[in-house]
Amino acid sequence: MNRRAAFTVEPWCIRETELNLDDLGSTESVFALSNGHIGIRGNLDEGEPHGLPGTYLNSVYERRPLPYAEAGYGYPESGQTIINVTNGKLIRLLVDDEPFDLRYGHLDKHERVLDMRAGTLRREVEWRSPADQAVRVTSTRLVSFTHRSVMAIAYEVEPVHETARVVLQSELVANEQLPEGGSVDPRVAAAMHNPLQALEHDCNGNRITLVHETRHSGRRVAAAAEHVIEVPEGVKVSTNWGVRPDWGRLTVTATLRPGQKLRLIKFVSYGWSSQRSLPALRDQVAAGLTGAIHTGFDDLLAEQRQYLDEFWARADVEVDGDEELQQAVRFSLFHIIQAGARAEQRPVPAKGLTGPGYDGHCFWDTETFVLPVLIHTAPRAAADALRWRHSTLQKAKDRAATLGLKGAAFPWRTINGDECSGYWPAGTAAFHINADIADAVIRYHGATEDDEFDREIGLPLLVETARLWRSYGQFDRDGWFRIDGVTGPDEYSAITDNNVYTNLMAQRNLRAAATAAVSYQTEAEELGVDSEEISAWRQCADSMFIPFDEALGVHPQAEGFTRHAVMDFESLTEADYPLLLTMPYVQLYRLQVVKQADLVLAMQLRGDAFTPEQKAANFAYYEKLTVRLRPAPSGGAGPARLHDHPQGPAPAGGDGRQAGHLPAHRSRAQPRRRARDHPPR
Amino acid sequence: MNRRAAFTVEPWCIRETELNLDDLGSTESVFALSNGHIGIRGNLDEGEPHGLPGTYLNSVYERRPLPYAEAGYGYPESGQTIINVTNGKLIRLLVDDEPFDLRYGHLDKHERVLDMRAGTLRREVEWRSPADQAVRVTSTRLVSFTHRSVMAIAYEVEPVHETARVVLQSELVANEQLPEGGSVDPRVAAAMHNPLQALEHDCNGNRITLVHETRHSGRRVAAAAEHVIEVPEGVKVSTNWGVRPDWGRLTVTATLRPGQKLRLIKFVSYGWSSQRSLPALRDQVAAGLTGAIHTGFDDLLAEQRQYLDEFWARADVEVDGDEELQQAVRFSLFHIIQAGARAEQRPVPAKGLTGPGYDGHCFWDTETFVLPVLIHTAPRAAADALRWRHSTLQKAKDRAATLGLKGAAFPWRTINGDECSGYWPAGTAAFHINADIADAVIRYHGATEDDEFDREIGLPLLVETARLWRSYGQFDRDGWFRIDGVTGPDEYSAITDNNVYTNLMAQRNLRAAATAAVSYQTEAEELGVDSEEISAWRQCADSMFIPFDEALGVHPQAEGFTRHAVMDFESLTEADYPLLLTMPYVQLYRLQVVKQADLVLAMQLRGDAFTPEQKAANFAYYEKLTVRLRPAPSGGAGPARLHDHPQGPAPAGGDGRQAGHLPAHRSRAQPRRRARDHPPR
């Protein structure tokens, strides 16, 4: 999506009719399939060429050191990075001994379709080999919403003009070679190189099983594949298989006349755990496979469509008169359900399971951008996401204690609940994540009136986050409750006093904690809440200081912001964006320039705290300060892309690199540019 | 000095009469000798035990990577660390084959005296070996102020009661084994392990020469030693020598009766360069040695005393009625002249050449704390220190350009002029260093009226720093000139708006640049200064915004500071200090707590900008917010030590570790504590 990919505008599909190899990194993200439990990038079936091969399992990460030139008290030292696990989607094809590789020969037809009602990625290709042998390849892929551990591919090949000998190699491959571009820190590179250690490999008929373990984080990962082969009557098929610690391969050979199809249906099941034993995992994937084969590919497709029919019945937003926007809205909803549907008490990462962007971390985006959608469209998934947060509450309480604070301080970025942010001004200081979690609790209860959840999960989250605010803020000499030294949503400012977004969200958090503690008195008392504390929360909320610039008639994003110099946008060129790759923080922070909506987001989430006049004035003021939209090039399709903003209209997937971690060699005076629409946070 | 070392109070000496092996790290710094060109820690002659062995040459450093968990634009990637070079002070003694080692046997007498008029460290020891053989050892050491490249030691040993066979081994040793405690980053550890690569080794009679080269920074280092041996007539002396790439050794053996002394005079010369060839350096140290031997040890002593007599005639401050303070003042002056005397257009590091503290870096301390003393006591040394800054002007201009600024942005910490700060909120953002350099230029000219220096060196420094201020600050809607997003001297605050110290010093800088540009019109025009620029500087200065808290009647250190919560000092215990090892920055920055004098320092340096009433009110206000003095324990001698403040009454030397670089394994929830009076910045 760097250059505009040739997607057609249509209501329920994302269709690509031309293949641009330079766009593979982006299209692999757009065409990624996931159910929130497992995720596969839209890599070509044959594996190469690729932008970045990717298969991800929710919470399967590797630990790696977080290095500091100058360390400080409370800095996290251990990071977590999602890893590319055993690739189950690989099906290589050879035509008369020539590998099917789009870098060679000639592509007569290409189409990939992400069907948002079917929940499939369908591909149809007509290719002529360098020896002019033409074949038609059709594949249909799904990651099942109903069989949580299963993905399946139906792969068909037929000669177009002449009889051809075709060989299919269906594989499982661990420790795939990844493109260059990792960390320059050798400890980090070592931790991320070949992250899977082989434990067991097995092949039994058409079934291949590989079991691995991560080196440092202790995650055991099992993958198993089984195959169904279909050919026309009378066509002779040979199969053989091989398996090694890091790969397993089923080979199918047939000689086909034009019109004769070889069809291979591949079922793959994944299982992983930090606790369950190797035999338990081996059995788990065998059971997953057996279940999938029992259902069969056609019924998997039918269940997939039924699941999505039900989803769209609840979730669809119809946009009249703007087909492009209609498509964009559905695409966003589709990727959100893909990210959240079966996460089931595991985190929902900022990029779902579409790539390693942001290291696969979960941020406040989950509660602020994803859950408001899931709460109304897939409330069980939303509840599970909050249950995951609740499962990390003890870690958040420990983190607060490390920071000298009461209550809970949830991590800015994490997979397992431990803080992974290596830059505290935009991590630890962004305490608003705690109020964002509280906000999701409030919204969930508002939509579902699920008192049992609220009592068990919501109350402790509200209470411990309210405690954080009370201990971090203070009453000033005029009786205002101030929250100093925080970073709001906008990452082009940091460590400010009285960020309006933060203070308003903390106010809501404090009030909700007080209300919940009254509603669930017994449970609140078990948490040590007494009437003094409830009344203190109310007092903090009622006295919350919200700065306002009387002269300009607008709210400063944080105290003093509107006195800062305004970024001279006129002096900037395209090459200056994204700004964080061409300007030091020391400049960005002193200027009025906004990366993420901050005050404007406060107006959306706390609309009750602003008059209509203030909203209009604030919007007009901040719109001019926010990094710009790039206008759509003439004739281009799809929504305009933000220059500088990681929350685009969809979780557009990995940028193929460790987002959020500029490799050090890029941070020289003239750093190399990264893909424009995937800046690090 | 962690526990109070037993120094006697006397006017011209620092005398230690008891040896505490646990205090060696501190006493090695107190007893360090230096002329600003070479520096040796006060290690025991025999090398062990030690706190940290140390021999330093001004600007001989190694480069090492600066790692970041999350890198950013403009972050420096290459650090510099002063290295321990070839040790020339080592003289081992064996008595009847028993090594003289204070960890064994019995110490009957111990005295070390730093004589601040003689410029020597004198040691007298009576020791009984485990076999009860008693010897008296006397040594006198100097680092010559008059022979810049030379240190010399006179070492005497005599039996006390019975005839003894004594063996002296006088050595040069490169790549000494250092105590544990370096970086956990393997790249950093590798860069700092055995930093010297051998180029040449030679021994010729009593003269040993070793030439090495640093691996990455390309510094060639030559060290040569020559010896004079004196024994009573009739005593037979045997000598032999050996040399290897990393060591050279002269061995002297004699059998002595009680009262018979073996005296070894060791002259050592150092030379180093990043440009001069190996033969040139080899010849340079040979010449240095020859010159020293030509002068002879007694005349080196005489010249040393004469140099210091002249220094004290200019510099001495007599304190009536407080002998302890008298001693402290002279100790401070002595270490300042040791740090600056012969630096000669190389930097004056924050800890002089007394240890590897702060990596051997030069900070704003040089211009703000060292040069005001040197300007009046050793003005040529002060001029040379500013010439060194001027020699790095192009690097500072390049750095400003990287940051998107005009003029020059001098580095917060450096050896070679390149920024080495790995934590930008307390490094890059501390722009006040530029005004501090300008202030030293102004002071130097005020004291010397040296117009030629001012024209050649002062003017460009003033002009380029004034340009920085004009480009970083801005005129606000009310016409004030604001400087937002800076860190003042206090490192318990960062990235603040309108730090009073910074704004007042920038104001002086801008005015001085305007005045100098008018005075030296031709030279100013060559720098591109025109009347518009001069008038703009004056306008910035005249409109400088200085916040004032009317309600409290005090200046906030920076805008908003006095609205922050006050640190609850009452809740703190001894174990909480230094605070930066027990509290995260995110807490320190939101609170009113002061590490370095900031507003109070502004009142000292810009006393003209405050009324007497303001001074009194400000002092009373900030004194309470500043990390406390620890009261002297009863019966202890010497000045009270600051808990938390790196500018103690003297450059007390290395803390034996890479100060400023908390090893990462210490930054967990409960980091290990470092020596209390040497916190990192």
Side-chain angles (χ1 to χ4, degrees), chain A residues 77 472 477 549 590 661 664, chain B residues 69 77 472 477 549 590 664:
Chain A
E77 290 163 18
Y472 197 72
R477 55 177 110 122
D549 187 327
R590 81 177 177 97
H661 293 272
Chain B
E77 291 164 16
Y472 197 71
R477 56 177 110 126
D549 187 325
R590 81 175 178 98

Side-chain angles (χ1 to χ4, degrees), chain B residues 152-198:
Chain B
I153 307 171
Y155 188 99
E156 292 177 359
V157 56
E158 59 181 311
V160 178
H161 303 302
E162 293 174 39
T163 295
R165 189 178 71 256
V166 300
V167 178
L168 291 185
Q169 296 172 313
S170 171
E171 305 197 12
L172 291 181
V173 181
N175 292 316
E176 288 176 293
Q177 189 182 335
L178 300 180
E180 293 288 317
S183 174
V184 295
D185 186 316
R187 295 170 303 161
V188 176
M192 302 314 299
H193 181 68
N194 290 350
L196 295 170
Q197 297 181 294

